[in-house]
Amino acid sequence: TQKQNLQHSQEQLLTSREELTKAELQLEISQNQIKEKEYLLKQFNLSKEGISRLQQEIYLLGQDGEEQQVDLNELETMPLGDLETKVTQVKEETAKVVNFVNMQEEELTLQAEEVKEIQQKMAQSSEVDKLGLENELADSQEAMKLLNETLVGQRRNLKKQQKLLNEYLKVFSRRKGIIDLDFAETINIKPLLSEIEAQQKEIDQNIERLAQELNKLQNNYQEYQQTLNSQKEQYEHQQNQLKTDQDILQKFFSHVTEIQTKVELLETALHPIQEHLNNIRNNTQHLQQEVGQIHDRANAQHTAVDELESMLKD
């Protein structure tokens, strides 16, 4: 029946609404995952840029740069005791610079670890918690940038100071009779470059992994979007069909109600007619009875006349 068809359409529409809600939720989840991967990829790219700048600065640090202006004649002619005192002073000044640079290096290492920890937290945190961590990460990265900039200048100062000390030590050693003394390079940048290259390799691996994951998520997002569009189209079609069925059923009920009303009005109008017909029928039956009686009397009279005529003839 039409009522059963309407109920079936309502059930189908409810099922489509549930499927549509699931598709919308899946699309929202996929969109959030894409945003997370895009944010992490951006952060790793920023870290890569920072590592590249630091690497260039360290390469520049490894170059000779400007030479120290040392008056070798003065060192050759001054008393050996004065030269030894001067060498001691330069050693102490160099030691202070070395200690300062070492402290800055340790602080930079700790700051880099803090940045890495925050990035790891963000990769595992919810969207709400991530908002607070973003500001924390920005502050931590800014502090790391400032330390890097400070250290570049301090490393150059240390290089210059160690070159100065080497010049003093060469003259002092030669005047004391120590020949062919091999002085070490002022700053050994190879371990630092190795560490930076290792970090750069790790960042490149993370960028490649995130790019692949992001590409997969974007493809999934397109599929989810197509599914959602299909579910919306199906839901809207069923919704329109249900409305059509409801309109048809409503018109049917209205038509039935209209017919019932007309029947009731007709019954009301026919009631006195029916009574009148009943009266006519009763009167007709009464007249028929009277006509029968008249006919019977007529037959009786006719029979009597016949009998009288027969008697007269005899």
Side-chain angles (χ1 to χ4, degrees):
T1 63
Q2 289 183 337
K3 189 173 183 181
Q4 289 175 334
N5 291 337
L6 179 64
Q7 185 178 359
H8 181 66
S9 298
Q10 289 174 332
E11 292 173 353
Q12 285 184 326
L13 185 65
L14 180 60
T15 301
S16 295
R17 175 71 259 184
E18 293 175 352
E19 294 297 329
L20 180 61
T21 301
K22 290 179 182 178
E24 290 173 340
L25 180 60
Q26 183 63 63
L27 189 69
E28 183 180 356
I29 293 173
S30 179
Q31 192 173 28
N32 291 334
Q33 289 175 336
I34 288 175
K35 288 181 180 179
E36 290 176 1
K37 297 299 180 184
E38 286 177 341
Y39 178 80
L40 290 175
L41 189 60
K42 179 182 178 181
Q43 295 303 317
F44 276 116
N45 281 322
L46 290 175
S47 298
K48 183 179 180 179
E49 292 175 4
I51 289 290
S52 298
R53 288 195 300 269
L54 180 60
Q55 193 175 39
Q56 293 174 0
E57 291 169 351
I58 292 175
Y59 276 127
L60 291 174
L61 181 62
Q63 298 175 0
D64 290 338
E66 58 178 306
E67 295 293 334
Q68 288 291 334
Q69 299 297 325
V70 179
D71 190 347
L72 296 178
N73 290 329
E74 181 183 1
L75 298 181
E76 293 288 353
T77 58
M78 73 170 51
L80 190 58
D82 292 344
L83 179 58
E84 185 175 6
T85 301
K86 190 69 175 176
V87 168
T88 301
Q89 291 176 352
V90 176
K91 279 184 178 180
E92 291 175 352
E93 292 172 0
T94 304
K96 290 179 181 178
V97 177
V98 169
N99 289 334
F100 180 77
V101 170
N102 287 339
M103 290 175 60
Q104 292 292 311
E105 292 281 4
E106 290 178 1
E107 187 174 352
L108 179 61
T109 300
L110 294 174
Q111 193 65 44
E113 290 177 355
E114 181 178 324
V115 170
K116 191 173 183 180
E117 288 176 0
I118 296 174
Q119 289 174 337
Q120 290 174 346
K121 287 181 181 178
M122 292 185 64
Q124 302 172 355
S125 63
S126 64
E127 196 67 28
V128 177
D129 296 335
K130 191 174 293 183
L131 295 176
L133 289 172
E134 286 179 0
N135 296 329
E136 187 177 345
L137 179 62
D139 293 339
S140 185
Q141 287 178 329
E142 180 65 21
M144 184 177 174
K145 178 183 175 183
L146 294 175
L147 281 172
N148 269 324
E149 293 173 353
T150 301
L151 265 172
V152 170
Q154 293 300 327
R155 291 188 189 110
R156 288 174 179 169
N157 292 335
L158 177 58
K159 186 178 180 66
K160 291 167 61 177
Q161 187 66 28
Q162 288 180 326
K163 281 182 174 293
L164 178 64
L165 177 60
N166 274 352
E167 294 297 329
Y168 274 89
L169 287 174
K170 287 177 183 178
V171 175
F172 181 66
S173 298
R174 185 172 59 253
R175 289 185 61 181
K176 289 189 67 173
I178 303 174
I179 303 175
D180 296 332
L181 184 64
D182 186 17
F183 293 95
E185 183 58 44
T186 55
I187 298 179
N188 184 10
I189 64 172
K190 289 183 179 180
L192 188 58
L193 286 175
S194 298
E195 174 65 22
I196 289 177
E197 289 173 359
Q199 291 183 13
Q200 193 173 37
K201 183 178 180 181
E202 182 180 355
I203 289 175
D204 288 339
Q205 290 174 347
N206 285 324
I207 289 176
E208 183 179 1
R209 174 180 57 82
L210 284 171
Q212 292 175 351
E213 293 176 356
L214 181 60
N215 183 60
K216 184 177 180 180
L217 286 171
Q218 288 172 339
N219 291 335
N220 291 341
Y221 180 82
Q222 292 179 355
E223 293 179 1
Y224 295 145
Q225 183 67 62
Q226 291 174 356
T227 301
L228 178 61
N229 292 339
S230 177
Q231 292 289 345
K232 280 185 177 180
E233 184 178 349
Q234 180 180 355
Y235 179 77
E236 290 173 357
H237 173 73
Q238 291 179 342
Q239 196 174 37
N240 293 333
Q241 184 61 46
L242 178 62
K243 186 177 184 303
T244 301
D245 292 343
Q246 288 175 332
D247 291 341
I248 293 174
L249 189 61
Q250 182 63 38
K251 288 179 181 178
F252 175 76
F253 285 145
S254 298
H255 184 61
V256 170
T257 302
E258 182 180 354
I259 292 175
Q260 288 177 340
T261 302
K262 289 181 178 180
V263 169
E264 290 174 357
L265 291 173
L266 185 58
E267 287 178 347
T268 302
L270 288 176
H271 183 69
I273 297 174
Q274 185 66 43
E275 289 182 349
H276 184 63
L277 288 174
N278 292 336
N279 292 332
I280 292 174
R281 185 183 298 112
N282 293 331
N283 292 332
T284 300
Q285 290 176 351
H286 181 69
L287 289 174
Q288 287 177 344
Q289 290 175 357
E290 289 182 352
V291 169
Q293 290 174 359
I294 293 171
H295 181 69
D296 291 341
R297 286 197 297 271
N299 287 334
Q301 289 175 358
H302 182 70
T303 300
V305 170
D306 288 341
E307 289 178 353
L308 181 60
E309 289 178 352
S310 175
M311 289 175 64
L312 291 173
K313 287 179 180 180
D314 290 340

